Amino acid sequence: MSDPAQLNNALALPQVLASQTQVTSDRYIGSACAVVRSKDRGKGRVVQRKGARSQAPVVAKAPLYSHLDIENGECTHYPVPRFLPRLAGEWVEAKALNQATQHQQAYAQLCTGSPIKLTGTPLVLSLSQTWGLDHLVKLMPQDQGWSVLCSAQKHNLFIETDLDKNVFGSYYHIREPQSQQLHMTFAEYAQCAKTWTTKKVLFKNTIMQSQQQQEEGNMPAPVACLPAALCQELQSNVRWDWLKALQNLVRFDSATQVTLQAAPFDSLMPAQYQPHERLLAQVTGCQRILLFPPNQAFHGMYPYPVHHPCDTYSMVDLENPDVGQWPHNIHAKGLRCIVKPGDVLYLPAYWFVHAQQLETVNIGLTFHMGMGLRARPPACIPLQLSRHLECRLANVEGVANVRHWLHLIGYCEEQDWIDLSTVKGYRRIVMCQEVRDELEINLALPECGQQDNQDEEWQRILVAMCDGRLLPTPWLNKDFREPLYLTDTTTQMEDVRSAEECKYPQLFRHKLKGTDSARVDGRQVIPCMSSLLICNRRHVQNLFRQTEQFLQ
């Protein structure tokens, strides 16, 4: 740079860069880079420093879950939760039984009737190491058919419909259930679960059932169709001694049945409650579970009526709830839980369980426990009472009138609908008195002297049972299409009738009898108001005969 002009330009270059750009250094893992942000050219670009090895910068991404979520079992490779974020509340408390400090705390919380996740339990630990679909295919009977639920891939949602309640013409009839029930062997189920792409299948059946004269503390007996190899594995690899010790500590009764469940990836079993307590033991795979207490049944969950085919399920779609139809659901809040292999989740009675499967193969055993000497939690009384009252009123007045009579009893207006001079009126007054007696016994209402407070309590409880419930469910049949009668396919033709023929069709019925009637392919044409229907000649003659008899 002997030239003075070049020397001046070189000295002035740093000042120009300092005035037009701002150089900052970002610390990337394993690289040395400088980010040059230009005021004139936007956000800038990454410039490689001299002597640094060329390596793409690694930028740490923000985690999808909080630190508390990850501690409770959430993982980034799990599918997105199939419920709204506003429904997720606190996490279910987890207790490790292999730690002495948490051992007594876990049993104390089990006695309170609150959900709890037990980790480090030996109940199904041996099965977690061996069980899978291929292993179960070898153990399950080859000629025994099982009930399997089938759902479309786009929904991947499984609801057990009670076929005994889904009677054609009934008040809650469902024309086409969302989940179909198939009958196949377990080997066929495993093949369908691996190969089907447009449909998904779920296996959920009882494999052990308690006997009528079962001694207290004994395990339930396997069903008759199970082979000896599977029975031996259930008896030896399930720690029944640990389950019996748990029954003695928390006053459970003996297990009434054991259910085997195998579900596909990202499948959903929507919110459902059971009238008995359960222990969910995860064998393989993982589940994301959302639990709602029974005191939210009539204040956010809206359970189906007792006589509905979807009894014990919630009417609310937690993936996309319709707040206009279910306004109280906006206040619902549930407890979250991630159940992994070896964990045992205690599910109290009448708690709504919304379960999503997170792995490719998810196998679990559910132990249904008896009530035993445990006291009934007060929160589940309204839901349990609602089931009894619906059955009592339906036996006298029918399923369609349950809502009407609950309103009448709640507002003390039943005297206008009772005629004491008839047998039906006597049955109605006995029915109303039984409903009031059951309310007083179960809810510990005020004494009869405080009639005003008693009426207000009846009205609040009975009206809450009817709010958004005990009505037909037409949204379950909105996608149903009537079947086509292939043998009686109709053909529409152009209507060539005059104005008088359209206005007075009875006066021109002689055209259908004469030789001037239109014929297409040997079949006779019947004129209608908007189209012409082609029918068989015998059907037309019967129609003429009925019309003449009616006019005579």
Side-chain angles (χ1 to χ4, degrees):
M1 293 185 182
S2 58
D3 190 359
Q6 296 180 358
L7 182 60
N8 293 335
N9 293 337
L11 294 176
L13 182 59
Q15 300 177 359
V16 175
L17 292 175
S19 62
Q20 294 184 357
T21 63
Q22 179 182 0
V23 181
T24 59
S25 298
D26 288 0
R27 297 179 180 178
Y28 295 106
I29 301 175
S31 64
C33 302
V35 178
V36 181
R37 296 185 176 90
S38 175
K39 297 181 180 179
D40 298 336
R41 298 184 180 181
K43 297 182 180 180
R45 55 191 177 85
V46 178
V47 179
Q48 188 72 26
R49 289 178 178 172
K50 294 182 179 180
R53 293 178 297 177
S54 59
Q55 185 175 357
V58 179
V59 181
K61 296 182 179 179
L64 298 177
Y65 302 102
S66 64
H67 178 68
L68 181 61
D69 296 342
I70 296 176
E71 280 188 347
N72 284 274
E74 282 286 6
C75 190
T76 55
H77 70 270
Y78 287 162
V80 179
R82 298 187 64 174
F83 53 82
L84 292 185
R86 66 171 176 83
L87 298 172
E90 299 179 355
W91 287 92
V92 174
E93 191 172 358
K95 297 295 183 179
L97 296 185
N98 51 10
Q99 299 180 8
T101 57
Q102 299 184 9
H103 196 273
Q104 296 298 329
Q105 298 177 3
Y107 291 130
Q109 187 169 348
L110 280 171
C111 296
T112 62
S114 301
I116 184 174
K117 183 175 70 172
L118 305 177
T119 61
T121 60
L123 183 59
V124 293
L125 186 60
S126 300
L127 298 179
S128 302
Q129 302 173 0
T130 58
W131 270 24
L133 285 182
D134 297 335
H135 184 70
L136 287 177
V137 168
K138 302 177 182 177
L139 296 178
M140 298 291 283
Q142 302 298 327
D143 55 348
Q144 173 65 28
W146 303 89
S147 177
V148 176
L149 295 178
C150 179
S151 175
Q153 167 64 24
K154 60 179 180 180
H155 301 298
N156 206 1
L157 183 143
F158 299 93
I159 298 178
E160 294 183 85
T161 304
D162 191 348
L163 299 181
D164 296 334
K165 298 180 180 179
N166 194 24
V167 181
F168 182 81
S170 61
Y171 191 63
Y172 299 117
H173 176 58
I174 302 177
R175 304 296 298 273
E176 187 177 3
Q178 189 170 3
S179 299
Q180 301 177 358
Q181 293 189 11
L182 307 179
H183 195 73
M184 61 179 67
T185 63
F186 192 86
E188 294 173 344
Y189 160 77
Q191 182 180 3
C192 294
K194 296 178 182 178
T195 58
W196 283 8
T197 57
T198 58
K199 292 185 178 181
K200 297 297 181 180
V201 287
L202 179 140
F203 181 91
K204 186 177 181 181
N205 287 274
T206 299
I207 59 174
M208 303 185 74
Q209 188 79 32
S210 62
Q211 298 178 354
Q212 187 175 2
Q213 299 179 351
Q214 178 183 353
E215 297 182 1
E216 184 178 358
N218 290 355
M219 66 177 185
V223 294
C225 62
L226 291 186
L230 181 57
C231 297
Q232 180 65 26
E233 190 159 342
L234 289 173
Q235 294 174 2
S236 59
N237 293 340
V238 177
R239 291 289 303 274
W240 298 103
D241 55 342
W242 181 88
L243 185 61
K244 183 178 179 180
L246 181 66
Q247 296 174 12
N248 298 332
L249 286 174
V250 299
R251 296 183 178 181
F252 277 136
D253 201 355
S254 302
T256 57
Q257 65 179 9
V258 179
T259 303
L260 173 63
Q261 175 181 298
F265 173 75
D266 199 22
S267 60
L268 177 66
M269 286 166 286
Q272 181 189 19
Y273 70 91
Q274 292 291 342
H276 49 264
E277 300 180 324
R278 293 167 290 168
L279 293 176
L280 174 61
Q282 193 69 21
V283 179
T284 60
C286 299
Q287 293 190 57
R288 179 188 288 120
I289 295 179
L290 190 64
L291 300 172
F292 293 91
N295 55 12
Q296 297 185 13
F298 305 117
H299 303 282
M301 297 306 295
Y302 299 91
Y304 280 103
V306 176
H307 299 88
H308 198 279
C310 298
D311 180 27
T312 70
Y313 282 92
S314 172
M315 291 190 284
V316 185
D317 181 10
L318 300 185
E319 292 187 88
N320 186 22
D322 187 355
V323 182
Q325 188 175 7
W326 322 112
H328 295 300
N329 183 256
I330 196 172
H331 305 294
K333 189 74 68 173
L335 301 178
R336 293 177 288 171
C337 182
I338 300 293
V339 185
K340 296 187 176 181
D343 296 344
V344 175
L345 177 62
Y346 166 57
L347 302 174
Y350 294 98
W351 277 67
F352 289 86
V353 181
H354 186 81
Q356 178 186 4
Q357 311 301 318
L358 305 179
E359 300 290 349
T360 305
V361 179
N362 305 273
I363 301 175
L365 291 176
T366 303
F367 298 83
H368 300 258
M369 312 300 295
M371 195 64 186
L373 301 178
R374 298 166 58 85
R376 181 178 58 176
C380 68
I381 293 179
L383 184 55
Q384 185 180 14
L385 181 61
S386 175
R387 299 182 61 86
H388 292 303
L389 295 183
E390 291 176 25
C391 294
R392 186 182 299 276
L393 294 175
N395 292 334
V396 179
E397 294 296 329
V399 177
N401 297 321
V402 171
R403 176 185 173 89
H404 171 69
W405 279 95
L406 285 177
H407 271 293
L408 291 179
I409 298 173
Y411 289 103
C412 299
E413 299 176 353
E414 69 275 9
Q415 65 273 6
D416 299 335
W417 294 79
I418 296 177
D419 185 5
L420 297 179
S421 62
T422 61
V423 176
K424 188 174 183 179
Y426 173 75
R427 292 177 179 175
R428 285 180 173 179
I429 197 171
V430 172
M431 174 191 68
C432 296
Q433 187 60 39
E434 289 176 349
V435 170
R436 284 191 169 87
D437 293 342
E438 197 160 359
L439 286 169
E440 292 179 359
I441 294 173
N442 289 276
L443 299 176
L445 296 180
E447 297 181 358
C448 297
Q450 303 177 358
Q451 188 65 30
D452 296 338
N453 296 336
Q454 191 178 38
D455 294 343
E456 291 178 1
E457 190 70 13
W458 282 344
Q459 179 179 353
R460 184 185 66 83
I461 295 174
L462 296 179
V463 171
M465 294 179 184
C466 301
D467 187 12
R469 301 179 63 249
L470 302 173
L471 293 171
T473 54
W475 63 87
L476 298 178
N477 297 322
K478 64 179 181 179
D479 297 331
F480 177 75
R481 295 181 302 174
E482 292 287 348
L484 299 177
Y485 296 96
L486 301 180
T487 58
D488 297 334
T489 305
T490 59
T491 304
Q492 295 186 357
M493 300 182 62
E494 183 181 359
D495 190 358
V496 294
R497 293 176 299 166
S498 61
E500 290 78 7
E501 293 176 351
C502 294
K503 188 174 183 181
Y504 308 103
Q506 296 86 356
L507 301 179
F508 298 91
R509 65 180 188 275
H510 62 277
K511 284 191 175 182
L512 299 177
K513 299 181 181 179
T515 56
D516 297 332
S517 301
R519 296 176 181 273
V520 178
D521 297 335
R523 293 179 294 177
Q524 199 160 6
V525 177
I526 304 176
C528 299
M529 297 300 296
S530 60
S531 63
L532 297 177
L533 301 179
I534 303 176
C535 302
N536 295 329
R537 180 180 299 179
R538 180 176 301 177
H539 176 69
V540 175
Q541 293 176 355
N542 294 334
L543 181 62
F544 292 155
R545 190 178 301 107
Q546 295 175 4
T547 304
E548 289 178 355
Q549 293 177 359
F550 175 79
L551 294 177
Q552 292 174 0

